[in-house]
Amino acid sequence: MIEQKVTVNFFLDKSRPNAENKCLIKLNIYCKPTKKRYATSYHVSTDDWEKLNNSNLRDDSLKEIRKKLNTLQSSVEKTVEKINPFSFVAFEETYFNKVAATTTKSTSLQSWFDAYINELHDKGRVGTAIAYRTTINSLNLYKKGLHLQDVTPALLEDYEKHLTDASKSYTTVSIYIRQLRAIINQAINANVLSAEKYPFKKYEIPSGRNVKKALSEKDIQKILNHTPEKADEQKALDFWILSYLCSGINFADIIELKPSNINGDYLHFIRAKTKNTKKKDLRPIKVGLNPRATAIISKWKNTIPENPYLFPVLEAGLAPKTVKHRCQRFIKWVNKRMELIRIELEIDQKIGTYAARHTFSTVLKRKGVSTEFIKESLGHSSLVTTENYLDSFTDNVKLQYANLLTESW
């Protein structure tokens, strides 16, 4: 048997620094010819990263990080030694199950968040993992070293005030605290925290209402009738219009479409968001394709036989994290060009990719289509969610109704 040499060390990921310009330290495991990197919970600046490897380190906080990294490395190396022959699948099953078992005995909020974030990554739910990482980073900025039992109604009220004082929107506050609630629920279900300590009985999470992003009928017509001179702007506009015409399909779903999702005059797909959150009753969304939508698909569809996707944004075999980054880059690319179109057409409101989804639902509402149909078209599970998407009545309608109050009977 060929002896496998496995090395374990750390790597500073400088590709995505956080708001404090600090970078994530990742655990790096190399077994020729493959290497994999796993996120830790530690962020440092590039200067501090150099200091961490200095034998004359004096900073107490950096000493504590180095101590914890050394402990982590030792633990991983012991797990690696027991796996012969080594495989990453066996390592992940062995090590992360052990970490999960340790976490269920811990009351550290950081540990519970880290364990759930790792679970999300393992399931390919990269976007949700990033959102939970943002939440625990926010909590650490508020008060570091919190434990499950520290989360009381008084602390939640104070944390909410901390966020609003920092000019966070109520939508953002709601997201952060709902994710914290999910972690608390996990701890209660694992019998680590008593149900009597549940803090959300006496605390109400703020309900953030989305700012309406639907366009006026006049602005929609400007967009639909526009023909850009530049090819890249035309491509961006085509994909925006495709989203608008196809039940406001998210761009994350557009890039994952395959030719098999089209059957005659209909497009059918299951939202990626739904696939990640539901296992039962996964109903596909069925969209009637009008001639313009069909023309856009034909214009930009994939021409490489080996590529299984309808559009050439993705290719087979990509890791979930890579898919997420490709989607983010594509949305950013489209939004940049739609902003240039907005300025040229003298449209006051932003016309990014999300505006296409909101505009689709609101146009149908304005034309008298039932909320139930719009709910089904958007793939929502509740009418409340759909109603948050629907724009309020336009100003001219409000004025028209106000004038009715003084008209003769």
Side-chain angles (χ1 to χ4, degrees), residues 172-218:
T172 299
V173 174
S174 175
I175 291 170
Y176 286 179
I177 298 181
R178 286 179 192 279
Q179 290 179 344
L180 173 57
R181 182 179 65 181
I183 296 296
I184 295 295
N185 287 337
Q186 289 178 23
I188 290 175
N189 291 337
N191 295 319
V192 174
L193 185 68
S194 169
E196 296 177 359
K197 299 284 187 181
Y198 189 62
F200 293 92
K201 290 179 182 178
K202 298 181 179 180
Y203 170 81
E204 184 177 356
I205 299 175
S207 179
R209 188 170 179 86
N210 291 329
V211 175
K212 302 305 181 184
K213 302 176 179 68
L215 300 170
S216 68
E217 292 179 20
K218 180 181 177 182

Side-chain angles (χ1 to χ4, degrees), residues 83-285:
I83 303 171
N84 189 17
F86 177 82
S87 82
F88 285 99
V89 172
F91 166 75
E92 288 166 5
E93 289 179 352
T94 304
Y95 184 76
F96 290 120
N97 284 342
K98 182 174 71 175
V99 170
T102 303
T103 300
T104 57
K105 299 175 184 178
S106 169
T107 62
S108 164
L109 205 57
Q110 179 76 57
S111 297
W112 280 84
F113 266 91
D114 287 345
Y116 188 52
I117 289 166
N118 285 331
E119 180 184 329
L120 291 169
H121 275 295
D122 290 343
K123 293 178 179 179
R125 297 175 60 186
V126 178
T128 308
I130 292 171
Y132 272 82
R133 177 65 66 196
T134 302
T135 296
I136 187 59
N137 288 345
S138 167
L139 284 162
N140 284 334
L141 284 174
Y142 165 63
K143 281 186 182 179
K144 198 157 188 176
L146 286 171
H147 286 256
L148 297 168
Q149 60 270 27
D150 294 328
V151 183
T152 63
L155 180 133
L156 291 169
E157 293 284 359
D158 192 53
Y159 177 51
E160 179 186 327
K161 184 177 183 302
H162 163 80
L163 292 173
T164 54
D165 286 349
S167 299
K168 299 292 184 183
S169 70
Y170 275 107
T171 298
T172 299
V173 174
S174 175
I175 291 170
Y176 286 179
I177 298 181
R178 286 179 192 279
Q179 290 179 344
L180 173 57
R181 182 179 65 181
I183 296 296
I184 295 295
N185 287 337
Q186 289 178 23
I188 290 175
N189 291 337
N191 295 319
V192 174
L193 185 68
S194 169
E196 296 177 359
K197 299 284 187 181
Y198 189 62
F200 293 92
K201 290 179 182 178
K202 298 181 179 180
Y203 170 81
E204 184 177 356
I205 299 175
S207 179
R209 188 170 179 86
N210 291 329
V211 175
K212 302 305 181 184
K213 302 176 179 68
L215 300 170
S216 68
E217 292 179 20
K218 180 181 177 182
D219 288 339
I220 296 165
Q221 288 305 315
K222 284 183 181 180
I223 292 172
L224 294 177
N225 295 331
H226 182 56
T227 303
E229 293 182 1
K230 295 182 179 179
D232 60 337
E233 289 183 16
Q234 183 64 65
K235 181 178 180 179
L237 178 61
D238 282 344
F239 275 97
W240 191 99
I241 292 174
L242 181 67
S243 173
Y244 168 68
L245 295 177
C246 293
S247 295
I249 180 174
N250 284 317
F251 273 63
D253 294 316
I254 288 177
I255 68 171
E256 295 213 47
L257 290 175
K258 296 181 178 179
S260 58
N261 290 114
I262 297 177
N263 186 4
D265 293 331
Y266 295 92
L267 169 70
H268 56 90
F269 65 96
I270 297 174
R271 293 182 68 195
K273 187 175 182 180
T274 305
K275 283 187 286 189
N276 287 332
T277 55
K278 287 186 177 181
K279 295 297 181 185
K280 297 180 181 179
D281 196 25
L282 289 173
R283 298 181 185 179
I285 296 171

Side-chain angles (χ1 to χ4, degrees), residues 341-392:
I341 291 171
R342 181 190 74 80
I343 294 170
E344 183 179 348
L345 296 180
E346 298 182 343
I347 295 174
D348 293 332
Q349 190 173 324
K350 294 289 185 180
I351 56 173
T353 57
Y354 216 50
R357 183 168 174 80
H358 280 265
T359 302
F360 156 78
S361 58
T362 301
V363 165
L364 291 189
K365 174 190 170 183
R366 292 170 184 163
K367 292 185 180 294
V369 176
S370 72
T371 306
E372 275 288 350
F373 178 84
I374 299 171
K375 165 184 168 290
E376 181 181 320
S377 299
L378 291 171
H380 289 159
S381 58
S382 93
L383 282 173
V384 173
T385 305
T386 306
E387 285 164 357
N388 282 335
Y389 268 77
L390 298 177
D391 202 355
S392 53

Side-chain angles (χ1 to χ4, degrees), residues 22-34:
K22 292 184 178 181
C23 304
L24 178 64
I25 299 176
K26 291 186 175 180
L27 177 74
N28 183 63
I29 301 179
Y30 177 69
C31 180
K32 190 177 181 180
T34 306

Side-chain angles (χ1 to χ4, degrees), residues 261-356:
N261 290 114
I262 297 177
N263 186 4
D265 293 331
Y266 295 92
L267 169 70
H268 56 90
F269 65 96
I270 297 174
R271 293 182 68 195
K273 187 175 182 180
T274 305
K275 283 187 286 189
N276 287 332
T277 55
K278 287 186 177 181
K279 295 297 181 185
K280 297 180 181 179
D281 196 25
L282 289 173
R283 298 181 185 179
I285 296 171
K286 190 173 183 179
V287 180
L289 294 172
N290 72 22
R292 185 161 185 180
T294 301
I296 291 172
I297 292 171
S298 298
K299 181 178 180 180
W300 298 110
K301 68 181 181 181
N302 202 350
T303 58
I304 303 172
E306 297 79 17
N307 193 322
Y309 293 99
L310 183 61
F311 299 112
V313 180
L314 304 178
E315 56 264 5
L318 296 178
K321 189 173 183 178
T322 304
V323 172
K324 181 69 176 178
H325 290 164
R326 289 276 185 94
C327 180
Q328 289 173 333
R329 285 202 299 269
F330 186 52
I331 289 173
K332 186 176 180 180
W333 184 89
V334 171
N335 283 341
K336 183 177 180 180
R337 284 148 185 82
M338 289 303 294
E339 175 64 9
L340 296 175
I341 291 171
R342 181 190 74 80
I343 294 170
E344 183 179 348
L345 296 180
E346 298 182 343
I347 295 174
D348 293 332
Q349 190 173 324
K350 294 289 185 180
I351 56 173
T353 57
Y354 216 50

